[in-house]
Amino acid sequence: MKKKSIITRVLTVIAICLVLSATIVASKTGVGFASKSKTVAHTPDMSNGADNFYKSKKVNMQEVSFKNQYKMKVAGNLFIPKGLKKNTKNPAIIVGHPMGAVKEQSANLYAQKMAEKGFVTLSLDLSFWGKSEGQPRNAVSPDIYAEDFSAAVDFLGTQKIVDRDRIGVLGVCGSGSFAISAAKLDPRMKAIATVSMYDMGGVNRNGLKHSQTLEQRKKILEEAAEQRYVEFTGGKTKYTGGTVLELNENSTAIEREFYDFYRTPRGEYTPKGQSSQLTTRPTLTSNVKFMNFYPFEDIETISPRPMLFIAGENAHSREFSEEAYKLAGEPKELYIVPGAGHVDLYDRVNLIPFDKLESFFKENLKKK
């Protein structure tokens, strides 16, 4: 197999959690998804109560921003239950979006639903994405992503309505691994839950079910290293992975699963000033930083703080929640949602176990 072909096939499998088998490596401009196959029409699947853009009438929303430790502005939405008693200290939950997404995709939904259950909640855009600062856009920096969660604790812990000793964190998809990374260093996060989690380090190093060889990994690193010369000397930025822009008869099940959310009205969202062709797509030269990211290393040190791992029964990402559960210390729980896939738990409110999340956080963020 030719070198270019190997790189193309590997990046298709491991690029980012948004769509692991999404696409070929981008062209020089980073926006092309050329295909010789016939395009297939697609109607979004709105079954099981898909409601990504849910707007609750039971909570008040306020746009907020705060600085992380690197003085970068992090943007978020603060949700407060209507009728919350004044001069009270309440439990709070930080909600992180899928890798490559923004807070308007999945995170706002979870934050509102949990606010309806009595929590003060904060959805945030990770640095380099959405309304948060960071250049270049779409850059990968797992350490800064984790720092954003700690900065969110800084923000919530200084709000009059929040009890700083009762702050939890909820990470969807890639944010699950960033939340774990943050919690290992930040004991202020008192309870940690993940949904459809990806180990963004493991999947980039090894692929799904360890399908990627060391030789394939090295070829990706070589291409990214050479691309640095291109960009250092003023060449165009190259992007990788992300959700395909169209489907054809050869599209895989995983491609279709992510396309149904990110490229249709079900969940499509393009932040102001961004190109719709670049949403979900990290830069090639920064994406390889995930290969040096080990969120499950020392995960047991989070104990005795509780951890909850939620995954769909049929999710292609289920292996990561199972591995994290195996390695974590007590108390811990693995909760499998019957009949659910990976992306189903982004927005299908009839499948997402909000009651389970409510009981987990109420029990573990209660006054002591």
Side-chain angles (χ1 to χ4, degrees):
M1 182 180 294
K2 295 181 180 180
K3 178 179 178 180
K4 183 177 180 180
S5 177
I6 293 174
I7 295 173
T8 294
R9 294 168 73 89
V10 173
L11 284 173
T12 293
V13 175
I14 58 89
I16 60 173
C17 83
L18 290 175
V19 52
L20 297 176
S21 60
T23 181
I24 61 171
V25 176
S27 64
K28 184 177 181 181
T29 60
V31 298
F33 285 82
S35 173
K36 295 181 180 180
S37 301
K38 183 179 179 181
T39 300
V40 176
H42 181 84
T43 301
D45 178 4
M46 303 301 292
S47 65
N48 286 301
D51 199 2
N52 177 70
F53 297 107
Y54 174 72
K55 299 293 183 184
S56 176
K57 296 180 180 180
K58 301 177 181 179
V59 304
N60 293 317
M61 189 274 281
Q62 177 185 353
E63 291 188 10
V64 299
S65 66
F66 46 90
K67 297 286 187 177
N68 64 20
Q69 198 172 51
Y70 304 106
K71 307 305 178 185
M72 301 164 65
K73 185 187 77 174
V74 179
N77 288 333
L78 183 67
F79 297 97
I80 301 173
K82 290 183 178 179
L84 196 70
K85 293 182 180 179
K86 296 182 179 180
N87 302 317
T88 61
K89 295 288 189 178
N90 301 276
I93 303 170
I94 301 158
V95 184
H97 57 73
M99 174 58 207
V102 290
K103 63 184 179 298
E104 287 79 10
Q105 293 165 312
S106 191
N108 277 352
L109 169 62
Y110 274 84
Q112 289 177 92
K113 289 292 186 179
M114 297 310 295
E116 289 179 347
K117 296 179 181 298
F119 300 93
V120 175
T121 61
L122 173 67
S123 63
L124 70 158
D125 283 329
L126 295 177
S127 294
F128 308 101
W129 301 89
K131 291 185 177 180
S132 289
E133 290 182 343
Q135 293 292 335
R137 304 308 293 166
N138 297 22
V140 168
S141 181
D143 284 347
I144 294 180
Y145 295 164
E147 162 59 24
D148 290 340
F149 280 93
S150 285
V153 177
D154 297 339
F155 172 79
L156 285 175
T158 54
Q159 302 304 302
K160 293 181 179 180
I161 58 173
V162 172
D163 184 341
R164 65 171 55 181
D165 293 322
R166 292 193 288 157
I167 298 176
V169 61
L170 168 60
V172 181
C173 190
S175 276
S177 61
F178 310 142
I180 289 172
S181 181
K184 288 189 297 183
L185 299 177
D186 195 335
R188 300 175 300 170
M189 299 176 188
K190 301 302 184 182
I192 299 92
T194 68
V195 178
S196 288
M197 179 177 58
Y198 261 90
D199 172 358
M200 294 306 301
V203 75
N204 275 274
R205 285 188 298 274
N206 307 313
L208 286 172
K209 301 185 184 301
H210 290 255
S211 58
Q212 177 175 265
T213 67
L214 177 58
E215 181 62 26
Q216 290 171 324
R217 183 198 309 178
K218 289 181 176 180
K219 290 183 183 298
I220 295 170
L221 292 171
E222 289 171 3
E223 183 188 12
E226 287 300 315
Q227 178 63 21
R228 290 181 65 108
Y229 284 126
V230 174
E231 295 175 19
F232 184 80
T233 54
K236 292 184 178 180
T237 301
K238 198 170 187 178
Y239 298 85
T240 187
T243 309
V244 294
L245 297 178
E246 61 182 36
L247 297 177
N248 58 58
E249 65 266 28
N250 297 319
S251 297
T252 67
I254 296 177
E255 285 178 317
R256 295 175 186 277
E257 181 181 6
F258 283 106
Y259 182 96
D260 190 72
F261 183 80
Y262 286 109
R263 300 299 184 205
T264 75
R266 176 183 161 197
E268 184 174 15
Y269 186 88
T270 302
K272 184 178 180 180
Q274 178 66 286
S275 164
S276 62
Q277 294 191 347
L278 294 181
T279 58
T280 78
R281 307 185 67 202
T283 63
L284 173 64
T285 56
S286 70
N287 194 65
V288 295
K289 296 184 187 300
F290 275 138
M291 293 193 186
N292 206 31
F293 177 50
Y294 294 83
F296 296 170
E297 189 74 23
D298 292 333
I299 190 175
E300 72 278 4
T301 63
I302 294 174
S303 175
R305 288 173 288 154
M307 303 191 74
L308 171 64
F309 307 100
I310 296 175
E313 177 185 20
N314 303 320
H316 60 266
S317 59
R318 179 172 169 174
E319 61 180 290
F320 302 116
S321 293
E322 292 176 335
E323 181 182 6
Y325 172 76
K326 179 181 178 180
L327 295 172
E330 296 289 351
K332 60 183 177 180
E333 182 177 359
L334 175 65
Y335 187 90
I336 303 299
V337 181
H342 175 83
V343 180
D344 286 336
L345 299 185
Y346 284 14
D347 67 331
R348 300 196 190 282
V349 296
N350 295 345
L351 294 176
I352 298 171
F354 289 114
D355 288 345
K356 180 64 180 178
L357 288 166
E358 177 185 16
S359 62
F360 172 76
F361 283 115
K362 281 192 173 178
E363 173 62 25
N364 295 298
L365 297 179
K366 62 185 179 183
K367 287 185 179 180
K368 295 181 180 181

